[in-house]
Amino acid sequence: MSTSTPVGSPERPLRVAVVGSGPAGVYAADILTKSEAVKSGELTVSIDLFDRYPAPYGLIRYGVAPDHPRIKGIVNALHKVLDRGDIRFFGNVDYGTDISIEDLRTHYDAVIFATGAIKDADLNIPGIELKASYGGADFVSWYDGHPDVSREWPLDAKEIAVLGNGNVALDVARVLSKHADDLLVTEIPDNVYAGLKNSPVTDVHVFGRRGPAQVKFTPLELRELSHSKDVDIILYAEDFEFDEESDRLIQSNNQVKTMVGTLTNWIAEQPEDLSELTASRRLHLHFLHNPVEIHDDAENPGRVTGIKFERTELDGTGNARGTGEFLDYPVQAVYRAIGYFGSALPDIEFDHKKGVVPNAGGRVLDASGEHVPGIYATGWIKRGPIGLIGHTKGDALETVTYLLEDRENLPLAAVPAADAVVELLDARGVKFTSWEGWLALDAHELALGAAATEAGTTHGVEVQRERVKVVAREDMVDISRDGVAAQV
């Protein structure tokens, strides 16, 4: 190919690497392929999608509760994008270990980081380090069959506190309180079922710092709580405080109005005598509670025995302040679900306070605040762990728009051939997986579900299982690569 061949032509496509195959990465790749410049034929692009996990979809596979009602629709949408064949998928490739920024810049004209946020945000209160004090994100990774976490999870508490009023907190509380047999219709691995089946839990308490009108979960997530069988939801009248700002939110925001309406209906229907409730498990929703200390066990040091809260009150601005009144709750485990936090990327500037890659509209910045040519970010690693799927699409559009604006001035790849990165990974012995490999793994997991269904019962329970998730990384890789080899 002549050196005069223009970049972005069919003979020399604009080469773009996207690191991260969750919604943020897939949407960025999809938006780029559907941009006006590409659709008109003015620009030809070649996009490779990298992920550290053998399977695609990121937090949709490893960060959303398996019984979440919207998960299937999101997966189907991502599947359609990657199944078109115009975006290559490289799974089981860890940025910073298997491939470096230097490698990416050698083979691509632009790089978009969409690595998300997978760690729990810190909560600095006394006792947070105790045994049985857990991060909600870690628990989510366990019940979602994350390949890099332990297969075992200690579920020996009867009374549990979940800190947070977002969707993750409700996911954690719902999974902890739900009966394991009711989760068999999902894709949970057998080790997760076994752990939840043996849980002695009777009471799960969810605590929020502000009032019912300030919660961060969504109506769908809230309503899903009431679908759990043999689980009573309990609310407390003293937690239902509304100030002028609350009233404004209820009147101006349909989502807030719906959630407050649901909560007030539940408490209105709740019997005055809670002993009339007959479910074997109870899910308590508390508001206006700020955690201040997790209590240690004097007889068994290092173990959680309770948690102290300061009662709060709304201050008229949508925030809450302490009242000086303190309450203690006996619990044997605490899960903090107060948000996710991003992780630093090798050789990329990182804001350790915000947990994001410094950027201006998606253009990644260096330590001096200057744009690093050809390097971009999107999703949670760009803006922080806030917003829903719709925000992710708009976020990706902004980043891709800037990338296209910059395309005449990108630092061009020295080795842009599409097969060069394959040769690089092969030479390093990286057992990368492909989209065709994911289709093989997908078919395998569906077959496991079908086999369990055909057996008549699973763990003695009659249930139709759609799939059973494969957990071990080595198994995921082998099934993916063997499936492709068999097709060849």
Side-chain angles (χ1 to χ4, degrees):
M1 183 179 69
S2 170
T3 55
S4 62
T5 303
V7 173
S9 65
E11 295 79 18
R12 170 54 169 95
L14 181 71
R15 293 277 287 147
V16 179
V18 180
V19 182
S21 68
V26 175
Y27 289 146
D30 185 42
I31 288 169
L32 181 54
T33 63
K34 293 177 179 176
S35 64
E36 189 59 38
V38 173
K39 287 194 300 182
S40 67
E42 175 190 346
L43 177 68
T44 301
V45 296
S46 172
I47 304 173
D48 288 344
L49 195 63
F50 294 88
D51 203 289
R52 62 181 301 211
Y53 307 125
Y57 308 145
L59 277 182
I60 296 300
R61 181 172 169 95
Y62 293 121
V64 179
D67 61 342
H68 195 291
R70 289 183 59 203
I71 187 171
K72 191 178 298 184
I74 299 171
V75 167
N76 289 342
L78 300 180
H79 178 100
K80 287 179 181 178
V81 173
L82 295 180
D83 202 43
R84 294 196 310 249
D86 57 346
I87 300 168
R88 288 196 303 183
F89 172 70
F90 290 86
N92 202 42
V93 179
D94 186 23
Y95 169 74
T97 303
D98 300 318
I99 199 164
S100 67
I101 189 64
E102 182 180 354
D103 297 325
L104 293 174
R105 305 208 72 161
T106 298
H107 293 85
Y108 299 91
D109 307 308
V111 181
I112 302 175
F113 285 97
T115 50
I118 60 173
K119 297 194 308 183
D120 283 286
D122 290 335
L123 177 63
N124 295 317
I125 61 174
I128 196 67
E129 77 291 342
L130 293 174
K131 188 177 180 181
S133 170
Y134 308 112
D138 292 335
F139 181 59
V140 172
S141 293
W142 174 75
Y143 67 59
D144 271 335
H146 194 294
D148 297 335
V149 303
S150 171
R151 306 287 182 83
E152 304 299 323
W153 189 273
L155 289 164
D156 52 9
K158 289 186 176 182
E159 300 159 302
I160 299 172
V162 178
L163 310 180
N165 258 182
N167 283 342
V168 175
L170 290 197
D171 277 351
V172 168
R174 191 176 67 253
V175 171
L176 284 167
S177 60
K178 201 167 189 173
H179 291 276
D181 289 348
D182 295 330
L183 287 166
L184 279 174
V185 294
T186 74
E187 61 185 30
I188 63 167
D190 284 342
N191 67 293
V192 175
Y193 170 81
L196 293 171
K197 180 69 173 177
N198 293 321
S199 170
V201 65
T202 59
D203 293 84
V204 177
H205 298 262
V206 182
F207 295 96
R209 187 174 56 85
R210 297 185 293 173
Q214 287 78 35
V215 296
K216 293 299 184 181
F217 40 74
T218 57
L220 182 67
E221 202 76 32
L222 178 62
R223 288 194 299 268
E224 194 66 18
L225 292 183
S226 64
H227 297 164
S228 295
K229 299 175 183 176
D230 191 33
V231 179
D232 283 324
I233 298 174
I234 299 177
L235 299 106
Y236 299 88
E238 61 269 25
D239 292 344
F240 280 72
E241 177 183 319
F242 301 96
D243 59 3
E244 290 185 6
E245 176 62 14
S246 300
D247 292 337
R248 187 193 67 79
L249 284 171
I250 293 168
Q251 295 300 321
S252 63
N253 188 308
N254 285 332
Q255 179 167 295
V256 174
K257 182 178 181 179
T258 298
M259 288 188 292
V260 170
T262 298
L263 291 166
T264 52
N265 285 339
W266 284 354
I267 196 169
E269 296 167 358
Q270 183 174 289
E272 290 187 17
D273 184 358
L274 296 182
S275 66
E276 295 178 17
L277 299 174
T278 59
S280 65
R281 293 180 176 178
R282 293 163 293 280
L283 180 56
H284 308 255
L285 299 180
H286 303 269
F287 306 104
L288 303 172
H289 282 68
N290 186 42
V292 295
E293 183 178 2
I294 300 173
H295 296 308
D296 200 354
D297 185 347
E299 296 181 2
N300 186 13
R303 292 287 306 187
V304 171
T305 58
I307 183 167
K308 175 182 285 188
F309 292 89
E310 182 178 14
R311 288 286 296 181
T312 61
E313 61 183 8
L314 299 176
D315 66 3
T317 69
N319 292 310
R321 61 192 170 212
T323 65
E325 177 188 355
F326 294 90
L327 299 171
D328 287 292
Y329 291 84
V331 296
Q332 299 82 51
V334 175
Y335 291 75
R336 71 183 186 279
I338 57 173
Y340 284 90
F341 199 80
S343 301
L345 298 167
D347 302 313
I348 302 294
E349 191 67 23
F350 191 71
D351 186 330
H352 290 274
K353 290 184 178 180
K354 297 180 179 178
V356 299
V357 168
N359 69 92
R363 289 177 169 129
V364 171
L365 307 178
D366 61 18
S368 64
E370 296 296 319
H371 175 215
V372 182
I375 306 298
Y376 302 85
T378 191
W380 281 2
I381 200 64
K382 168 188 173 183
R383 71 177 189 273
I386 54 174
L388 303 174
I389 294 296
H391 298 93
T392 301
K393 290 182 179 179
D395 196 45
L397 176 60
E398 179 184 53
T399 295
V400 169
T401 298
Y402 280 126
L403 188 158
L404 291 171
E405 285 183 7
D406 298 340
R407 68 181 185 270
E408 300 295 335
N409 300 305
L410 294 173
L412 301 184
V415 187
D419 58 356
V421 71
V422 176
E423 294 172 358
L424 174 71
L425 295 173
D426 280 337
R428 291 179 178 172
V430 179
K431 292 184 177 181
F432 62 89
T433 61
S434 63
W435 177 247
E436 292 73 22
W438 161 246
L439 295 179
L441 176 59
D442 185 38
H444 179 83
E445 292 185 343
L446 291 170
L448 292 177
T453 299
E454 289 173 10
T457 63
T458 303
H459 305 290
V461 181
E462 291 188 10
V463 64
Q464 183 172 353
R465 302 197 71 180
E466 183 175 349
R467 73 164 66 225
V468 178
K469 186 181 286 185
V470 174
V471 180
R473 178 183 285 268
E474 59 271 23
D475 291 344
M476 294 173 68
V477 172
D478 290 344
I479 293 165
S480 299
R481 292 171 66 90
D482 290 349
V484 172
Q487 293 173 24
V488 175

